[in-house]
Amino acid sequence: MGIAALVSAQCTNPTSRPEIRSMSPQDRARFFSALEKIRQNGELDRLSKLHVDNADTIHGHPVFLAFHRVFMNDFASALNRADPGVSVPYWDWSLDATNPISSDLFTNNYMGGNGGGDKGCVQSGPFANWQMNIDSPHCLTRKFNQGDSIAPFWPPEALLSMQQTCSQYGALSSGIENGCHGAVHLGISGDMSTMFAPNDPFFFLHHGMVDKLWYDWQMMNPDTRFQMYDNVNYNDPAVSADDTIPGYPNMYVKDALDPRNGLCYVYVKSGSSEAAKRLMQEVNRKSGQKNGPSSTPTGGAPTPKSSDGGPSNAPNSMTSDGPSGAPNSMAPNSAMGSNNASPGIGAAATAAGNGVPSADSAAKLNELTSQVSRLGGNGNDRAGASAALHDQQVDFLQSVLVNGMTPNHGLDMASAFMNRHNRFLHRHANALLMRRQQQGETPGMGLGDILTGLTSGLLGKDGVVGHLLQGLGHVVEVLPQGLTETLRAVGSIAEDVTDDVFNILNLPKVDLSKVPEKERQIPYVAMLPDWWYEHNNLNATYAAQLHNQIHDMIDGYNSIQGYVSPATAHYLAKKYGSQ
């Protein structure tokens, strides 16, 4: 196909991309028919191969969102060549976050369900018995990550929080990649957990939603964000909007930044973000009553800095954006606030690091690592606390060298660190043990081996400290600090606000007093396996930070009496709405 076909210089009538459940049965059937046509004519194979061939450069790099936007438009163009005028929908999976398997998407009228048999071949819905050619001949497969069920996704509140906290492109892109993006791929799994995921049409519905998250973020501040592209939160060298898109040598990042023009499409709202904003307006109002009019946390934190050293627009809490996209900060009162974070961590580090090395002091340092990873407050305090931790870990290793350590204590110490940082330290310790076994030596680790493993695991290129420091820098940019304490202070949400959520989503009202409490709660999001982060060039420590913050955020929402997430409302209306 001609690359120029992907870009329209003059876009006077952009196409609308709807949420798939808002389409008429006739339009959905037409979409499914067009999908079958591009499978038969080889276009779907072309797209899957293009994704496979460029996998290493389009994941874990700033171009992630830009590539997939162009890729989605390539898909839309292929569909329209097969059936001119066919609609290209997205799937707002955040509405199904509470209980994904209950979604209409997994029924025969939509995308079909789980795979079956030994190979996990899809046997229901419009794509039953599809035979694929990429990466090799096989049936289209799905293998849900909880057997016959699917682990929860990120709910609308978490997505909105990320969008309102991120002030730079790279922060949003890295937050999506390391956070919500993978849960959908691995929830469905099968072909969806591979680099030839475009074999499954779920890929395009999912990435339509991913692209919409970027589009909605751009619309929060359209004057600047439709031109924004940077490498914030990535380890890549400087990037430019004049960079070419991998797999599309005649297209540039700047061609993908504003879909309203060159790519010529817009998204139709699904209601999830609007319902979440309504809830956050009430949270802001109630927290203002609790904490007073000041928007500065106790202690007067200085203006936060962005990762490139400049001022940041990222708020310290959940925000509510008006027409201009300018946030109105809430006022969290964090127990680990700006005035006492560094001294407390510094004292703990000193207490843990001093004395003769032992399993006990190693365990204390391990706990300290956990504390630093969850630390609130401003960037300077987090950096100071991390530096204190780093200094004490270095002193600890030096003390081992000077004072010695018994082998049992050494193994205990390595185990203590491995419990929390298995990915980074475990491979060093295992390599040492395997070498000893191959050489016929007595199993166990001597002092030299302990020091080698710990030094590499803690301070090396891929060490715990480096990843911890990197992770802290990322999380500050992506999710708000101190939100959990603010949410816990809200107390309750009025019934009329809950009614608004159901109305915004066009759902039948549910008598929540008759719904079991467990079903009213937002469930935790599952942690993804290490191999996913490795295969996608991602940072597992960064992802763990996001995961911890999402769980804290969910705890805060669940503590509010009468609070109903848009995702929960969607699930409850489906289950109880007709009663």
Side-chain angles (χ1 to χ4, degrees):
M1 62 165 290
I3 296 297
L6 297 177
V7 179
S8 173
Q10 298 295 326
C11 178
T12 58
N13 186 28
T15 59
S16 295
R17 295 187 177 176
E19 211 282 335
I20 189 168
R21 284 165 287 201
S22 71
M23 299 171 74
S24 69
Q26 294 77 16
D27 285 343
R28 280 201 308 274
R30 186 178 172 187
F31 170 62
F32 296 149
S33 177
L35 281 165
E36 173 64 17
K37 289 178 181 177
I38 68 169
R39 182 182 74 91
Q40 292 183 2
N41 67 17
E43 287 277 52
L44 191 56
D45 284 348
R46 176 185 65 81
L47 290 166
S48 290
K49 187 176 187 305
L50 191 153
H51 193 267
V52 170
D53 290 347
N54 294 278
D56 193 52
T57 57
I58 61 178
H59 300 103
H61 300 286
V63 78
F64 170 74
L65 288 180
F67 167 85
H68 284 90
R69 175 169 283 179
V70 172
F71 190 69
M72 281 294 301
N73 222 55
D74 194 353
F75 166 70
S77 296
L79 287 180
N80 273 271
R81 287 192 296 275
D83 180 0
V86 66
S87 294
V88 181
Y90 69 95
W91 170 32
D92 185 349
W93 37 256
S94 75
L95 286 173
D96 299 309
T98 297
N99 189 0
I101 195 61
S102 68
S103 172
D104 288 340
L105 271 290
F106 296 105
T107 65
N108 287 341
N109 289 333
Y110 284 84
M111 305 291 285
N114 201 4
D118 294 339
K119 296 181 179 179
C121 300
V122 174
Q123 300 173 348
S124 62
F127 318 118
N129 304 312
W130 264 24
Q131 295 299 309
M132 317 309 300
N133 298 309
I134 308 296
D135 205 17
S136 61
H138 67 283
C139 63
L140 177 64
T141 64
R142 291 178 191 155
K143 297 181 180 180
F144 294 169
N145 65 350
Q146 290 191 338
D148 292 329
S149 189
I150 296 175
F153 303 147
W154 278 35
E157 298 91 334
L159 298 178
L160 180 63
S161 174
M162 177 173 61
Q163 290 171 315
Q164 293 181 326
T165 302
C166 293
S167 60
Q168 294 164 291
Y169 166 88
L172 181 77
S173 179
S174 63
I176 290 173
E177 260 203 285
N178 287 275
C180 59
H181 165 251
V184 180
H185 274 283
L186 291 179
I188 297 171
S189 212
D191 278 29
M192 275 286 281
S193 63
T194 71
M195 287 305 174
F196 44 89
N199 283 345
D200 192 335
F202 258 121
F203 174 93
F204 298 101
L205 295 185
H206 169 38
H207 273 276
M209 176 62 175
V210 168
D211 187 58
K212 183 178 181 292
L213 291 175
W214 180 21
Y215 174 83
D216 288 346
W217 177 80
Q218 291 176 307
M219 287 296 292
M220 289 177 175
N221 195 346
D223 291 342
T224 60
R225 291 183 179 176
F226 281 112
Q227 293 81 44
M228 191 177 289
Y229 181 64
D230 54 64
N231 64 347
V232 169
N233 288 357
Y234 288 97
N235 293 325
D236 293 60
V239 296
S240 167
D242 290 321
D243 293 343
T244 57
I245 299 287
Y248 298 93
N250 295 321
M251 289 201 67
Y252 304 92
V253 170
K254 61 187 177 185
D255 297 326
L257 294 180
D258 191 348
R260 303 169 303 173
N261 295 317
L263 301 180
C264 204
Y265 68 87
V266 295
Y267 282 102
V268 180
K269 296 178 180 179
S270 66
S272 62
S273 180
E274 291 68 35
K277 287 177 183 178
R278 175 66 185 96
L279 288 164
M280 291 309 99
Q281 289 172 356
E282 181 67 5
V283 167
N284 283 342
R285 187 184 71 81
K286 298 280 300 258
S287 65
Q289 292 176 350
K290 297 278 186 179
N291 297 329
S294 173
S295 62
T296 302
T298 301
T303 301
K305 299 290 183 180
S306 68
S307 60
D308 64 358
S312 169
N313 294 324
N316 286 329
S317 60
M318 182 68 77
T319 60
S320 176
D321 61 290
S324 67
N328 298 314
S329 298
M330 296 195 312
N333 283 308
S334 172
M336 302 184 77
S338 60
N339 280 344
N340 57 15
S342 292
I345 290 292
T350 300
N354 287 345
V356 178
S358 67
D360 180 62
S361 56
K364 288 180 180 177
L365 275 177
N366 182 56
E367 174 59 26
L368 183 62
T369 303
S370 174
Q371 291 180 30
V372 172
S373 74
R374 299 169 68 89
L375 184 64
N378 65 62
N380 291 335
D381 291 325
R382 280 186 292 278
S386 299
L389 170 63
H390 181 277
D391 291 343
Q392 288 303 323
Q393 288 172 327
V394 173
D395 291 344
F396 186 83
L397 294 178
Q398 291 175 340
S399 183
V400 171
L401 185 62
V402 173
N403 299 314
M405 175 178 279
T406 65
N408 286 340
H409 279 168
L411 289 171
D412 289 343
M413 182 175 73
S415 176
F417 281 108
M418 277 191 276
N419 283 340
R420 183 161 183 83
H421 302 290
N422 184 63
R423 180 186 176 202
F424 308 115
L425 188 56
H426 189 266
R427 64 172 179 261
H428 298 290
N430 272 352
L432 293 167
L433 291 172
M434 289 177 63
R435 188 172 71 244
R436 281 185 173 276
Q437 291 172 355
Q438 291 170 355
Q439 295 172 351
E441 298 179 18
T442 303
M445 294 197 298
L447 176 60
D449 290 337
I450 294 169
L451 288 173
T452 299
L454 285 176
T455 301
S456 297
L458 286 171
L459 309 176
K461 179 181 178 182
D462 292 324
V464 170
V465 173
H467 280 267
L468 176 63
L469 291 170
Q470 185 182 27
L472 285 170
H474 288 302
V475 173
V476 171
E477 293 290 334
V478 174
L479 288 172
Q481 301 291 325
L483 175 61
T484 303
E485 290 76 13
T486 300
L487 293 172
R488 291 186 185 279
V490 170
S492 64
I493 290 287
E495 185 176 353
D496 65 314
V497 178
T498 303
D499 290 344
D500 287 345
V501 170
F502 282 89
N503 291 334
I504 291 170
L505 296 173
N506 294 315
L507 298 172
K509 182 69 170 67
V510 174
D511 185 352
L512 297 176
S513 66
K514 298 180 180 179
V515 176
E517 181 179 356
K518 184 177 181 180
E519 289 191 290
R520 298 198 304 267
Q521 301 279 295
I522 305 173
Y524 284 152
V525 177
M527 188 68 185
L528 305 184
D530 276 355
W531 67 260
W532 173 261
Y533 301 112
E534 294 169 3
H535 288 188
N536 288 274
N537 304 318
L538 303 177
N539 185 317
T541 299
Y542 172 19
Q545 303 286 323
L546 291 174
H547 186 259
N548 288 338
Q549 281 199 297
I550 288 295
H551 279 199
D552 288 346
M553 188 184 299
I554 288 172
D555 284 341
Y557 287 121
N558 286 339
S559 71
I560 301 175
Q561 183 178 356
Y563 184 92
V564 176
S565 167
T568 305
H570 193 266
Y571 167 66
L572 295 179
K574 182 179 178 64
K575 184 172 182 178
Y576 298 105
S578 61
Q579 298 179 9

